[in-house]
């Protein structure tokens, strides 16, 4: 019963087979091979326009380089206070950009409140050298607490960013999970709503080690190529990242794996709602489920083989957590089975 993280899951068999199929022979290095080029074109087809694609190894690299692509002296990027770029990147966006800042924005359950963003970003007048100046806005889709920005919400935040002449970045570590939950297209969830640059995640959804920066703003592509090289993220044998994405996209596998993970989360949430020993904190929208459980009971569940973590109480959560309880996070993946969800459900029934 592995609910600790979708990072715990292995590689999907089709993706592993894609790696094996490309293990032999020779190919041009550094992203210039035939398979690399084919996958770049596939990204453009998926997003319904020409895009620039840069393979990287991790979501941290994708987010850090995406924000660094718009770096400026005194630059400030605005993100939700509980976003991954602020809480879980060990300062990497600041490090890679050479000293830009990250500024926290409040909002309920992982999502930036547009009013708070407008009020905060407006405080930093770009002509006043002492304060620093706006550089980017970053949103996470889906968020760190499993919620999703609706298309109109993305558009609203993008409009604020545009008013202050800064780009909108989307951290899409769980991009596919949000996409299938909204039942929309990649284009509609990104550039058609005002997103300028995307961290496109594959690792959490069945890939071995495949992330990409997708640039809709093609004028930034040349600079980003140098930034990626300087950050030691240009792979010589990049065809092995391309091979993963080739298999990931083939016959809609990436959407199927995301739908499965989301369905398992909904199944798990239903089991928690029916439980006598756990309380669902809020309804999941993607593949993360949060529950309030007594500490002693959680320890029993973990001893019985269930892997999950306690979690901090997010801004905007108004549910009651008593002294003997904690908030816990459960994450499902392409590899989660109905049987393990049901076994867990029996433990908490």
């Amino acid at each position: 019963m592995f609910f600790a993280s979708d990072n715990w899951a292995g590689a999907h068999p089709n993706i592993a087979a894609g790696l094996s199929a490309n293990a032999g022979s020779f190919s041009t290095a550094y992203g210039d091979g035939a398979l690399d080029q084919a996958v770049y074109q596939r990204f453009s087809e998926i997003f319904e326009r020409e895009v620039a694609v840069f393979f990287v190894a991790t979501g941290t690299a994708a987010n850090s380089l995406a924000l660094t692509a718009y770096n400026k002296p005194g630059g400030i990027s605005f993100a939700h206070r509980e976003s991954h770029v602020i809480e879980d990147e060990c300062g990497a966006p600041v490090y890679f950009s050479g000293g830009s800042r990250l500024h926290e924005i409040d909002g309920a359950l992982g999502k930036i409140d547009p009013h708070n963003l407008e009020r905060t970003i407006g405080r930093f007048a770009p002509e006043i050298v002492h304060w620093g100046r706006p550089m980017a806005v970053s949103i996470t889709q889906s968020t760190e607490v499993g919620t999703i920005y609706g298309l109109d919400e993305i558009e609203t935040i993008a409009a604020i960013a545009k008013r202050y002449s800064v780009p909108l970045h989307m951290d899409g570590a769980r991009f596919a999970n949000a996409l299938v939950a909204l039942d929309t297209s990649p284009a509609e969830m990104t550039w058609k709503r005002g997103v300028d640059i995307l961290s496109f995640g594959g690792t959490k959804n069945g890939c071995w080690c495949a992330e990409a920066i997708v640039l809709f703003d093609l004028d930034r592509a040349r600079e980003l190529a140098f930034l990626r090289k300087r950050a030691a993220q240009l792979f010589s044998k990049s065809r092995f990242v391309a091979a993963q994405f080739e298999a990931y996209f083939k016959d809609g596998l990436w959407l199927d794996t995301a739908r499965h993970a989301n369905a398992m989360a909904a199944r798990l949430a239903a089991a928690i709602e029916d439980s006598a020993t756990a309380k669902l904190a809020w309804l999941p929208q993607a593949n993360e489920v949060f529950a309030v459980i007594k500490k002693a009971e959680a320890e029993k569940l973990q001893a019985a083989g269930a892997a999950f973590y306690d979690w901090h109480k997010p801004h905007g959560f108004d549910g009651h957590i008593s002294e003997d309880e904690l908030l816990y996070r459960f994450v499902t993946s392409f590899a989660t089975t109905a049987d393990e969800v049901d076994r867990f459900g029996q433990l908490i029934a």
Side-chain angles (χ1 to χ4, degrees):
M1 296 173 286
F2 294 102
F3 307 117
S5 173
D6 36 13
N7 285 321
W8 283 36
H12 190 281
N14 292 16
I15 292 170
L19 282 166
S20 296
N22 287 276
S25 190
F26 291 82
S27 176
T28 306
Y30 298 110
D32 292 327
L35 182 58
D36 299 290
Q37 297 296 328
V39 171
Y40 301 153
Q41 180 58 36
R42 185 73 184 107
F43 268 97
S44 292
E45 292 168 0
I46 286 170
F47 284 96
E48 303 175 39
R49 60 172 288 175
E50 183 183 358
V51 298
V53 179
F54 298 85
F55 300 150
V56 293
T58 67
T60 297
N63 288 336
S64 300
L65 291 175
L67 293 176
T68 300
Y70 291 90
N71 188 33
K72 59 181 72 171
I76 303 168
S77 296
F78 300 85
H80 191 274
R81 67 165 53 253
E82 292 149 2
S83 64
H84 205 274
V85 296
I86 286 181
E87 289 209 337
D88 296 289
E89 308 284 29
C90 196
V94 175
Y95 174 78
F96 277 97
S97 65
S100 70
R101 284 185 285 162
L102 295 169
H103 200 290
E104 301 174 345
I105 305 294
D106 280 334
L109 295 181
K111 296 196 292 185
I112 287 175
D113 182 294
H115 174 73
N116 291 338
L117 175 63
E118 182 93 57
R119 182 178 58 188
T120 304
I121 197 172
R123 288 171 40 206
F124 294 91
E127 66 272 12
I128 300 180
V129 71
H130 306 286
W131 299 346
R133 51 185 171 166
M135 183 177 94
V137 175
S138 178
I139 59 173
T140 310
Q141 183 77 324
S142 58
T143 73
E144 292 299 294
V145 295
T147 53
I148 294 173
Y149 287 92
L151 301 183
D152 290 346
E153 292 176 304
I154 297 170
E155 195 165 37
T156 296
I157 290 173
I160 295 170
K162 297 300 180 288
R163 280 200 292 277
Y164 290 91
S165 301
V166 298
L168 177 60
H169 164 250
M170 177 179 284
D171 175 358
R174 296 185 174 94
F175 184 86
N177 300 95
L179 187 72
V180 298
L182 290 176
D183 191 23
T184 189
S185 71
E188 285 291 346
M189 202 171 78
T190 54
W191 64 270
K192 287 188 176 182
R193 301 290 164 167
V195 174
D196 298 286
I197 190 166
L198 166 70
S199 299
F200 184 92
T203 304
K204 294 180 188 297
N205 195 34
C207 291
W208 169 69
C209 184
E211 308 285 313
I213 302 168
V214 179
L215 254 177
F216 305 107
D217 176 6
L218 298 180
D219 292 340
R220 296 278 168 170
R222 180 165 174 76
E223 285 299 309
L224 187 50
F226 282 91
L227 291 171
R228 179 179 61 168
K229 174 64 175 179
R230 188 182 67 176
Q233 288 291 315
L234 176 60
F235 306 119
S236 56
K237 297 183 181 180
S238 64
R239 73 179 186 271
F240 293 115
V241 181
Q244 293 176 71
F245 279 128
E246 179 189 45
Y248 189 57
F249 293 139
K250 187 176 181 180
D251 298 326
L253 177 66
W254 67 301
L255 303 177
D256 291 340
T257 50
R259 288 190 189 98
H260 175 81
N262 289 7
M264 292 299 99
R267 190 184 188 102
L268 179 59
I272 293 171
E273 282 191 303
D274 290 340
S275 169
T277 58
K279 297 178 292 186
L280 191 65
W282 55 86
L283 288 174
Q285 293 181 289
N287 67 317
E288 295 175 275
V289 181
F290 293 81
V292 177
I293 307 173
K294 291 184 182 297
K295 300 173 191 176
E297 180 64 25
E299 290 172 0
K300 291 179 184 177
L301 293 169
Q302 289 164 337
F308 57 93
Y309 290 126
D310 59 283
W311 204 256
H312 55 268
K313 181 179 176 180
H315 179 81
F317 172 63
D318 56 6
H320 177 69
I321 301 177
S322 62
E323 286 295 320
D324 62 344
E325 294 176 326
L326 284 176
L327 181 67
Y328 294 92
R329 186 188 77 158
F330 300 79
V331 189
T332 54
S333 74
F334 79 93
T336 304
T337 66
D339 176 68
E340 62 184 311
V341 172
D342 293 346
R343 281 191 287 123
F344 183 80
Q346 291 169 5
L347 290 176
I348 62 173

